[in-house]
Amino acid sequence: MALPVTSTAHQIAAKALTWLHTRQEQHALPTHPCFEHDRSKIKRLGETAFAASLVLREAVAGSHGLRLARDLLDYAWHQLGAGTVLHAHLLSHPLADDVVQIYAPFARSGYRHPPLDQLLAHTTSLRSVRAADIPPDQRLGYANAAEVCGFSPGGTDAEATAGTTWLSAEPEPWLIDYQAAYAMTHTVFHHTDWGGLPSRLPAGIAQYLTRWLPVWAEVWGEIGSWDLVAELAMTGSCLPTPLCSEPLWQRLAQLQHQDGLLPRNAQPVSDDPEERFLQGHHPTVVAVAAGTLTVSRTLSVPR
């Protein structure tokens, strides 16, 4: 059954998706892009593709929203040379953990690059994967992305990795800082495949988050850290019993600019088009993803 929050989240997601689509040309890469030189631009392409892939997966945006999401994926895939940019980078850096995570939303949506698939099938099977010195939440992200792409990372046990994260200790909630909060949200995202498998989240952690997510959202809302607040709202939509606060979503709706941009923080957004794009891109991506998941979970639409 639709709830009042459903309509609010839908409106936010729809406006944010339109903002991304209208500005997709600002993602344009050079004719011969280099992953090393254009890393930040490629990362933003991957983030846009991620949001669009969730819109397609959840299928609650309506025909117009689905068309915009497909357009965004088509454009981003074209900019990446239909996968050749990712393949070239992985050839040079076989243990890079970012390639598979950028590739995952494309693979989820039906975009494949056979040579990249072949290379990832090899690199994800290496013992070096489990020996890589990366934080647990990032290791969990690597494992989930590889699974989405159809690979099983050698030596990477998602359950065991999840048990080594900050969140798994159900720590004192008043000692959380921005870095821990960001890692916490991504632990939930990766463990549940971005809300697609909420039952993966252990019951104790789900209860812990149900108690403390509203508190954390209030704390970061007081200082105007809207990017993190949106991430916390998205985390609530990934719980086995979704936590979707109407007052929180109404606050985000009030903050969202008329053109769809969601501000990163309480600082004024620049009037310069390029700077405005850089400032607003990530929180607006989160607005699409969080809003889409909230609509899906409150409607209880079967996948």
Side-chain angles (χ1 to χ4, degrees):
M1 177 181 295
L3 302 173
V5 69
T6 310
S7 177
T8 305
H10 170 72
Q11 292 172 13
I12 289 175
K15 289 174 64 177
L17 182 64
T18 298
W19 187 89
L20 293 177
H21 187 268
T22 301
R23 288 153 184 82
Q24 63 181 349
E25 297 293 337
Q26 291 182 259
H27 286 299
L29 294 175
T31 305
H32 301 288
C34 171
F35 199 105
E36 301 296 346
H37 295 161
D38 305 301
R39 181 180 293 270
S40 61
K41 290 186 176 182
I42 290 172
K43 180 181 178 182
R44 285 192 292 273
L45 278 170
E47 290 171 346
T48 296
F50 150 72
S53 75
L54 287 194
V55 172
L56 293 183
R57 185 188 76 178
E58 300 301 319
V60 292
S63 58
H64 179 65
L66 294 176
R67 181 184 64 78
L68 295 186
R70 182 59 72 180
D71 283 351
L72 284 168
L73 279 160
D74 284 344
Y75 181 81
W77 189 237
H78 174 74
Q79 289 298 307
L80 293 174
T84 57
V85 174
L86 301 179
H87 181 253
H89 181 65
L90 194 61
L91 278 175
S92 299
H93 304 278
L95 301 184
D97 69 313
D98 49 357
V99 169
V100 71
Q101 296 193 60
I102 294 173
Y103 186 40
F106 293 105
R108 187 197 298 281
S109 307
Y111 301 77
R112 307 300 300 227
H113 184 277
L116 180 57
D117 285 336
Q118 184 177 9
L119 185 57
L120 279 170
H122 170 64
T123 59
T124 57
S125 70
L126 300 174
R127 292 191 302 275
S128 295
V129 169
R130 64 175 177 265
D133 294 321
I134 59 176
D137 65 298
Q138 293 182 29
R139 187 185 301 277
L140 202 59
Y142 183 93
N144 182 65
E147 182 180 345
V148 168
C149 293
F151 310 117
S152 179
T156 301
D157 186 325
E159 293 292 337
T161 300
T164 65
T165 62
W166 180 88
L167 178 60
S168 67
E170 298 180 26
E172 298 83 1
W174 53 88
L175 288 181
I176 193 171
D177 59 15
Y178 187 93
Q179 184 175 1
Y182 186 85
M184 176 276 298
T185 62
H186 282 66
T187 295
V188 175
F189 299 155
H190 300 318
H191 201 45
T192 65
D193 186 23
W194 304 97
L197 297 168
S199 61
R200 280 185 178 178
L201 204 63
I205 289 179
Q207 292 172 3
Y208 174 84
L209 291 173
T210 298
R211 171 174 292 183
W212 294 114
L213 275 176
V215 178
W216 294 332
E218 183 176 348
V219 169
W220 268 285
E222 288 178 355
I223 62 174
S225 188
W226 306 123
D227 186 77
L228 181 53
V229 169
E231 298 256 16
L232 294 170
M234 184 173 168
T235 303
S237 295
C238 294
L239 302 184
T241 300
L243 187 65
C244 305
S245 168
E246 172 66 14
L248 173 57
W249 279 100
Q250 286 291 348
R251 181 66 177 128
L252 292 175
Q254 293 168 3
L255 290 162
Q256 189 175 31
H257 292 204
Q258 187 60 38
D259 63 357
L261 175 145
L262 185 71
R264 178 180 294 276
N265 51 41
Q267 300 299 316
V269 179
S270 173
D271 291 330
D272 177 75
E274 180 64 20
E275 187 62 28
R276 180 180 173 82
F277 174 75
L278 296 177
Q279 290 177 355
H281 181 262
H282 185 267
T284 306
V285 162
V286 178
V288 173
T292 298
L293 286 180
T294 296
V295 171
S296 182
R297 297 303 307 283
T298 54
L299 288 176
S300 299
V301 175
R303 296 183 184 85

